[in-house]
Amino acid sequence: MEATSSVWNGLNSGVVLSLIAVLWTVVWQNLQRLQLQTLVGRHMSRHARRLAALVDPYLSVTIAEHEGGRMKRSEAFEEVKAYLSASCARDVRHLRAEGAKDADKLVLSMVDGEEVADVASEDGGGVTVWWWAYSTPPPRDGGGGGYYGWGGGRAQENRRYYRLFFLERHRDLVINTYLPRVRRRGRAVMVQNRQRKLFTNISTHSWSDADGLVRSAWSHVVFEHPKTFDTLAMDPAKKKEILDDLTMFKNGKEYYARVGKAWKRGYLLYGPPGTGKSAMIAAMANYLDYDIYDIELTSVHSNTDLRKLFIETTSKSIIVIEDIDCSLDLTGARKKKEAAADDDKKDGPPKPPDMKKDTSSKVTLSGLLNFIDGLWSACGGERLIVFTTNHVKKLDPALIRRGRMDKHIEMSYCCFEAFKFLAKTYLEVDSHGLFPAVKKLLSEVDMTPADVAENLTPKSLEDNADSCLAALVKELEKLKEDKANGRNGQGGGDDDDDDDEEDNAQAAEKDK
């Protein structure tokens, strides 16, 4: 009997231990699901923040110079910078100076480590906030993505920030009232101090990258071109048509939103050299009060770099690619190179690759088309995209179709109306005895407005309207004689295809 009781007790003990083990396993698994360590850590962090708030009752808002890594410059940063410029000049000891719209003035901003106080309430009710400027060095990892991947030539620059400090009890006032007011006033100051700029892309080596690739970044100068539509020699009716189109575009924000189109418009300026294509772009910029981004495609390493450059452009700008027919393989020459590559493959095994870094442009027609009207083209708004070319027939039709290049503007040889405008501008004459002769000759030969203007420009103190007009008639008669004798004069129209191919071949050889 006693033996039986001992066995039974032993069994009961084993069952109890097994139950305990099972229950512990279940409980432990559930505790793991609850992530006990994380739960305890959150509670400790919460109490630590409350304790820190007793010591430091200030909250902060950080505004970085760039958004999305280095993809886009922050408008909020520039607005805060402009807003603080007046306070900086009054209260800050160390300042950074930049040029202003007025040549005699400077726009001032804080250097790193400076702090300035401001009043957050409209009535000046004693709600004080503090702005602090600082920067951090770029990361050193040199990875292919993130900061270096989008930074290009500016990857070595410090990241700049403004940080706003305020008491926690003023949170609603600062976020809902003060910061929107800062942005509104900052925009107004930016308009007052704005200097229009002419940008160009430069190639730089990003040595932080393992492959040492060439990157592209924007560099700029102040845009001060004097050309306006008032001084542009062109048929008056054609000039009015262009002005009306530009005005409709500038005021078309609601229209573009209603029809579901990106707020941009493409212009193709084509015609012989010297017909005023570059002058037209300058007049457009002055009329619209836009910046100009002049892209040199041969300096853009890849489609990715082209996209980065486009993202970094601002609204109210004209993006220009001059002589698009000479920039890349966007003409019939592209097919010839493809055929030549096929011939090389037939000749034998491929040659060993050149070990030098490839700094040539790999921008493709597809990449350029995406730049014009792809998804990325809708980033930002109020942009004109302008192409210029001397040989419009050589461009790929996909590049210049309507919807990409919406308006085609032929910049032709000088007509009599344009000549009268130039005579009035250069010689201050509305009529002259030589006008009929000039009219007749301009109908028989071609001369560019640039050459007409050069002949009408006085070369010495003795020159006057009579001598300048006589010189123009003499030059036109010479062109007429050359045309009659079968010699190619200055304005003999478009060159034939053979001459164009030879010119392109020579230019390509020079590039090599």
Side-chain angles (χ1 to χ4, degrees), residues 77-141:
F77 181 90
E78 294 298 326
E79 291 161 359
V80 169
K81 177 181 173 182
Y83 172 81
L84 293 175
S85 60
S87 300
C88 292
R90 184 177 64 249
D91 299 330
V92 176
R93 295 183 61 191
H94 303 289
L95 301 167
R96 178 186 290 109
E98 299 175 8
K101 189 174 184 178
D102 188 336
D104 296 328
K105 293 183 179 180
L106 293 171
V107 176
L108 302 175
S109 60
M110 293 185 287
V111 299
D112 291 350
E114 288 289 344
E115 188 177 70
V116 64
D118 193 26
V119 178
S121 57
E122 291 278 6
D123 56 4
V127 178
T128 304
V129 297
W130 292 265
W131 287 98
W132 179 44
Y134 71 104
S135 64
T136 59
R140 298 178 181 272
D141 56 3

Side-chain angles (χ1 to χ4, degrees), residues 328-340 364-365 396-397:
L328 291 172
D329 295 335
L330 306 176
T331 66
R334 178 165 47 92
K335 299 179 181 178
K336 294 181 180 179
K337 287 194 175 183
E338 292 173 356
T364 63
L365 177 61
D396 195 306

